[in-house]
Amino acid sequence: MSEVVLKNGRLITGESCEVVFAEGKIIEVAETIQADGREVIDLNGNYFSAGWIDSHVHCYQEMNLYYDYPDQIGVEKGVTTVVDAGTTGAENIARFYELAKEAKTNVYALLNISKFGIVEQDELADLTKVQADLVKQVIAELPDFIIGIKARMSKTVIGDNGITPLKLAKEIQAENQQLPLMVHIGSAPPELDEILDVMSKGDILTHCFNGKPNGIMDATTGKIKEFVWQAYRDGVLFDIGHGTDSFNFTVAETAFKANMLANTISTDIYIRNRTNGPVFDLATTLEKLHTVGYSWPMIIEKITKAAADQYHLLQKGRIEPGADADFTIFKLVDEEKELVDSNGNLRQAKQQIIPVQTIIGGVSYDNQL
């Protein structure tokens, strides 16, 4: 593959930046680079970043409850990499892998500790579905696809099993090179303090800003619960995981004002909350965090380097020689837009972020969204 030069681009911090890539890898980064007869992609002064990573989606299209199509939530929306968060388990992830290889978008997966994944809402109510040997086997078979494990810890999922599924997840994690563990939180049981007591540094708490009583904010005091602060200080990572019912503006604003920031910004997107809202796409979720108070440079870092580092995807999320040639080209447009959270609360964005071009592995796709 011949060398390609990205010309006339700028980073979200405002600096001019140009890049040379070939064979899917970045080979040079500088403020200005001479084309010297090489193919040029002219960014026309638009912003660009390392490719956006949506680190919590559901995109195995053969499921019934939560499913979508990788390219419809990925490349077509300015997202170069998606991480499916536990849609499949050990019994069906091989099929998911075969389909994922056909996508233009980079697809990775967190393995649900329940062997069929989310075939039914209560996948952790029957603990015979949690088979550690089977989990270990499939992780060994698909080491480049499975980048973590997932346990959903809310009352509709666990039945009468309390905190036990999470303890099993931690045992599985310990037996599999301490792979990243994402934990879904929702309504009790189990109580959030029980969950955080079991989680460790580097584990990912998703749906961190939900508006439920079992969430991070004490509705009586309007403050973040002290045991949540302790987990945050101890290195538990907080992920947005917007979803249909898991992002609340007031909780996010309360946390922001207290300087408790999400580590990563993700959508928990699937076909229904993409089509009917309130999620729609990653860009809309980014706009919501901007209205909360997050700066654009902070937001871009959380969907590039922070997301890549969280899952040890060290060739992604950065613009530097040797990294993958994945880029998202986008505009910031000063136009108002009404935004709604999972609980029907409204905010008015004053600025929109609009992806216009996506480059994945050195291949360019125009979005014009």
Side-chain angles (χ1 to χ4, degrees):
M1 183 185 296
S2 58
E3 293 183 358
V4 179
V5 185
L6 291 184
K7 293 285 292 178
N8 301 316
R10 54 180 171 152
L11 304 178
I12 192 62
T13 47
E15 300 101 322
S16 297
C17 184
E18 298 187 344
V19 175
V20 181
F21 62 85
E23 298 183 351
K25 294 289 184 180
I26 297 171
I27 57 177
E28 184 181 353
V29 181
E31 184 175 343
T32 304
I33 297 172
Q34 296 301 314
D36 293 334
R38 294 174 289 197
E39 180 184 348
V40 170
I41 297 177
D42 191 341
L43 301 186
N44 298 308
N46 283 322
Y47 293 104
F48 79 112
S49 68
W52 292 359
I53 300 170
D54 193 341
S55 54
H56 181 166
V57 309
H58 293 281
C59 65
Y60 175 42
Q61 58 262 52
E62 294 187 351
M63 291 298 237
N64 292 317
L65 283 177
Y66 304 113
Y67 71 94
D68 215 318
Y69 302 85
D71 287 339
Q72 292 182 28
I73 61 174
V75 62
E76 294 177 19
K77 298 293 186 178
V79 176
T80 63
T81 298
V82 296
V83 180
D84 183 278
T87 310
T88 55
E91 293 283 6
N92 49 8
I93 197 166
R95 172 61 179 161
F96 178 31
Y97 175 62
E98 292 303 316
L99 292 174
K101 287 191 296 183
E102 299 173 5
K104 299 170 184 173
T105 308
N106 301 306
V107 182
Y108 297 94
L110 306 183
L111 182 72
N112 196 308
I113 64 168
S114 180
K115 66 179 182 177
F116 297 118
I118 315 175
V119 173
E120 298 173 330
Q121 187 68 253
D122 61 345
E123 76 265 19
L124 292 176
D126 178 1
L127 293 182
T128 66
K129 294 179 181 176
V130 182
Q131 298 181 13
D133 289 346
L134 194 58
V135 168
K136 191 168 188 175
Q137 176 185 326
V138 76
I139 288 172
E141 291 170 353
L142 298 172
D144 296 326
F145 183 57
I146 299 171
I147 58 173
I149 57 177
K150 173 77 177 288
R152 298 201 305 148
M153 295 300 297
S154 56
K155 69 178 181 181
T156 57
V157 179
I158 63 166
D160 297 325
N161 288 321
I163 202 68
T164 301
L166 183 53
K167 291 181 177 179
L168 293 175
K170 291 297 290 180
E171 291 174 7
I172 289 169
Q173 180 187 39
E175 294 169 1
N176 291 277
Q177 298 81 47
Q178 292 295 324
L179 275 176
L181 166 64
M182 176 181 278
V183 180
H184 152 121
I185 60 169
S187 298
E191 297 291 340
L192 182 57
D193 59 345
E194 294 180 273
I195 293 171
L196 290 172
D197 278 347
V198 178
M199 294 178 70
S200 308
K201 181 179 180 179
D203 291 344
I204 303 143
L205 184 83
T206 193
H207 311 313
C208 64
F209 297 152
N210 74 55
K212 299 173 183 178
N214 197 37
I216 69 167
M217 191 177 85
D218 186 323
T220 302
T221 65
K223 295 181 178 180
I224 304 301
K225 299 169 183 175
E226 182 51 40
F227 67 82
V228 174
W229 274 115
Q230 188 59 52
Y232 187 78
R233 289 190 290 264
D234 288 345
V236 171
L237 302 176
F238 282 32
D239 173 61
I240 295 295
H242 187 307
T244 303
D245 197 33
S246 297
F247 179 76
N248 180 277
F249 277 124
T250 299
V251 175
E253 290 159 354
T254 299
F256 180 80
K257 289 172 184 175
N259 202 31
M260 177 182 280
L261 306 179
N263 298 91
T264 49
I265 300 171
S266 66
T267 59
D268 185 26
I269 200 167
Y270 66 103
I271 197 164
R272 289 194 295 278
N273 67 31
R274 171 167 66 89
T275 304
N276 303 323
V279 176
F280 299 112
D281 52 36
L282 180 58
T284 301
T285 301
L286 304 185
E287 291 162 354
K288 292 176 184 180
L289 271 296
H290 190 244
T291 67
V292 165
Y294 290 61
S295 69
W296 286 121
M298 188 186 300
I299 286 168
I300 295 301
E301 190 271 342
K302 293 180 185 304
I303 58 167
T304 54
K305 185 178 185 301
D309 289 352
Q310 181 171 273
Y311 289 116
H312 313 304
L313 299 173
L314 301 183
Q315 301 304 307
K316 299 197 178 296
R318 58 209 78 217
I319 299 176
E320 60 186 38
D324 290 345
D326 294 349
F327 308 98
T328 301
I329 297 90
F330 58 94
K331 296 179 179 179
L332 295 178
V333 179
D334 293 327
E335 292 182 9
E336 291 196 350
K337 177 179 175 181
E338 187 173 78
L339 302 171
V340 59
D341 69 11
S342 296
N343 303 114
N345 302 302
L346 300 176
R347 297 291 186 273
Q348 200 74 19
K350 298 186 183 301
Q351 197 171 45
Q352 298 180 38
I353 188 167
I354 301 176
V356 295
Q357 187 177 1
T358 310
I359 298 172
I360 301 177
V363 179
S364 177
Y365 305 92
D366 286 333
N367 299 102
Q368 300 300 334
L369 301 177

